[in-house]
Amino acid sequence: MAMLDMAPPSSFQGGWRPPIMKVESAFEPTGFNKALEDIANKIEEHHQHLVQKDMIGSRMRRKAAVELNEAIRACILEPVLQKLIGSGEMEGMIDRVMKKEVDPYSVAEDIAKRYLEGCL
Amino acid sequence: METTKKIKDGDVRAASRLIRNLEDRIPEAKTTIKHLFPLTGKAHVIGLTGSPGAGKSTLTDGLIDMFRKKGKTVGVLAVDPTSPFTGGAILGDRIRMQRHAEDPGVFVRSLATRGALGGLAKAVGDAIHVMDVLGKDIVIVETVGTGQQEVDIINHSHTVLVVLVPGMGTRFRRSRRASSRSPTYSSSTRPTARDPPSSRES
């Protein structure tokens, strides 16, 4: 709450100040259910707010960015790791790093050079 | 695609199988998710985060009830990072939410971190898509909010809830946690009788 108070009003996108809601103990069903209802309503209110203030687009964009990031990572990193693990090369490299024969940074650079020739 | 149609028609078994195949990186599953993608974007994705024991599962369980009463269908993704110390508790959430097992309007699925390859955020993103196409109005993603992977997971959601326990940590720390992830709400299911008055502010 104190930190929310310190934030300038402009930091609350579209005028939505994150509400802090207290929930009763789950062992006190009356208060707990009332709090749940309030939260569920607030969640719907937030969704409507996102739609009305045209903010849902920025959330979708954030989601799309994460997805693309993850998809690229999976597409590039996974086949390389799988190959290194599958061929047993990974274990050999770990051994060498452990014995301080090589450092992990140079090993990673060598692998990058091998697989991402066009990019480096 | 047959699977695409099945999932679109609400076939839970087909959806469940697809999520598993995506986790196992079966090539056909990748083709299916490509077909599903254009059909996504209808569900309201709610991220629920907070430290272990804060009451995320209790709150999720209660929220499932509330949304069902409002006539909405609910999908739940319980993300449980497999603990290297305890071996993880993948089934913990399933046990807590089992009273919804008979309800066809509710679909609960657990996801755990897997081995050396990582990719948890991707697995979650894929599973959200599947639940979306399955026709779930609300998709709740429940995760411990620490670590980069978990932050990435939370970025999949439209609305974020941070669950905090009043009276834990310093006032500053609580506030900082509450604001650093720009949450939408904070709440706690714990008893508060013995808490100092300031704890209400978390």
Side-chain angles (χ1 to χ4, degrees):
Chain A
M1 183 77 91
M3 284 296 274
L4 283 175
D5 285 340
M6 279 161 69
S10 59
S11 61
F12 301 124
Q13 281 178 7
W16 181 274
R17 184 191 158 101
I20 293 162
M21 303 175 79
K22 198 176 156 196
V23 180
E24 299 294 319
S25 164
F27 296 107
E28 291 162 30
T30 322
F32 182 62
N33 284 331
K34 174 76 182 67
L36 281 175
E37 204 180 328
D38 291 346
I39 293 179
N41 288 336
K42 210 54 162 179
I43 289 171
E44 287 183 339
E45 200 185 301
H46 181 248
H47 191 245
Q48 279 165 10
H49 176 86
L50 288 177
V51 174
Q52 278 164 11
K53 299 272 172 173
D54 214 17
M55 283 162 64
I56 195 98
S58 68
R59 301 274 163 147
M60 307 263 261
R61 196 180 168 82
R62 182 176 78 177
K63 190 162 157 43
V66 176
E67 278 174 48
L68 186 57
N69 208 317
E70 288 299 324
I72 292 172
R73 193 185 303 274
C75 240
I76 295 174
L77 196 59
E78 274 181 22
V80 174
L81 281 176
Q82 234 146 18
K83 216 171 210 174
L84 292 174
I85 293 169
S87 67
E89 202 183 339
M90 190 68 132
E91 287 300 314
M93 289 188 302
I94 294 170
D95 286 340
R96 291 185 63 208
V97 170
M98 221 176 72
K99 289 179 196 149
K100 299 263 163 45
E101 289 172 15
V102 286
D103 66 88
Y105 319 104
S106 308
V107 175
E109 270 172 23
D110 288 344
I111 291 162
K113 269 181 207 146
R114 200 191 317 164
Y115 288 101
L116 302 172
E117 218 171 320
C119 300
L120 298 169
Chain B
M1 281 293 289
E2 199 195 344
T3 317
T4 312
K5 198 185 170 302
K6 272 188 186 168
I7 294 171
K8 217 179 139 194
D9 292 343
D11 187 333
V12 174
R13 287 179 59 178
S16 212
R17 206 177 306 126
L18 177 61
I19 294 175
R20 189 195 65 208
N21 288 346
L22 284 164
E23 280 190 292
D24 292 345
R25 299 175 165 78
I26 310 271
E28 292 85 64
K30 215 171 170 181
T31 316
T32 310
I33 195 81
K34 283 180 193 168
H35 289 287
L36 286 184
F37 184 79
L39 308 170
T40 63
K42 293 184 194 83
H44 179 195
V45 186
I46 301 165
L48 231 132
T49 181
S51 48
K56 295 183 295 296
S57 300
T58 309
L59 203 62
T60 305
D61 185 55
L63 283 173
I64 294 172
D65 251 1
M66 281 300 151
F67 285 122
R68 290 301 290 141
K69 276 180 193 153
K70 287 167 178 280
K72 295 193 169 170
T73 53
V74 185
V76 177
L77 282 168
V79 182
D80 193 338
T82 313
S83 165
F85 305 112
T86 63
I90 298 169
L91 289 174
D93 289 298
R94 308 290 277 276
I95 292 161
R96 267 167 286 191
M97 295 175 206
Q98 67 182 346
R99 64 197 179 100
H100 301 288
E102 298 291 305
D103 182 353
V106 179
F107 181 27
V108 181
R109 180 68 156 81
S110 304
L111 290 170
T113 41
R114 295 136 311 125
L117 293 178
L120 185 61
K122 183 175 178 294
V124 172
D126 291 346
I128 292 173
H129 285 326
V130 175
M131 289 197 171
D132 192 342
V133 177
L134 196 59
K136 298 290 171 249
D137 302 313
I138 306 270
V139 177
I140 299 176
V141 182
E142 185 201 323
T143 176
V144 172
T146 48
Q148 192 55 48
Q149 276 202 327
E150 277 69 28
V151 174
D152 285 344
I153 290 166
I154 276 310
N155 279 340
H156 279 299
S157 37
H158 303 120
T159 300
V160 179
L161 269 88
V162 178
V163 185
L164 299 170
V165 184
M168 295 272 278
T170 65
R171 193 170 164 182
F172 171 70
R173 192 183 302 152
R174 269 182 282 129
S175 311
R176 190 169 62 88
R177 278 171 48 187
S179 57
S180 62
R181 309 242 165 74
S182 58
T184 313
Y185 330 94
S186 313
S187 46
S188 169
T189 50
R190 289 284 180 265
T192 52
R194 284 174 290 118
D195 295 329
S198 69
S199 65
R200 282 170 169 266
E201 298 183 1
S202 69

